[in-house]
Amino acid sequence: MAGLAAVDAAGGEEALRILDRRNDIDLVFTAINMPGNVDGVNLAVRIHRQWPELAIVITSAVVSLRQSSLPERCRFLKKPYNSAEAIKCFRFLLGC
């Protein structure tokens, strides 16, 4: 999509395993509510601690997060969003 490649994960635990194995991921896009024991907020916190250079975009239709409560390279994207909004956010965080 828009010159960006995606890697899917079934949940937060799988996302962390993927990040442990790969060094070619620059941004993580996650929903707050997802299956498993690691929700999107917990995933973002763990990613920020272990890989502070990674950009993170969190989305939800139910919960709203204040940008001031998020780390520098993290953004909240309220659902519903359109693909142009998401791509603009991704490109901003990636610096492209």
Side-chain angles (χ1 to χ4, degrees), residues 10-27:
E13 296 96 344
E14 184 180 4
L16 292 168
R17 286 192 299 273
I18 290 169
L19 290 170
D20 274 333
R21 292 191 324 261
R22 297 182 61 157
N23 62 2
D24 62 338
I25 295 174
D26 298 313
L27 182 142

Side-chain angles (χ1 to χ4, degrees), residues 22-38:
R22 297 182 61 157
N23 62 2
D24 62 338
I25 295 174
D26 298 313
L27 182 142
V28 174
F29 183 43
T30 183
I32 288 179
N33 297 315
M34 59 183 171
N37 296 323
V38 179

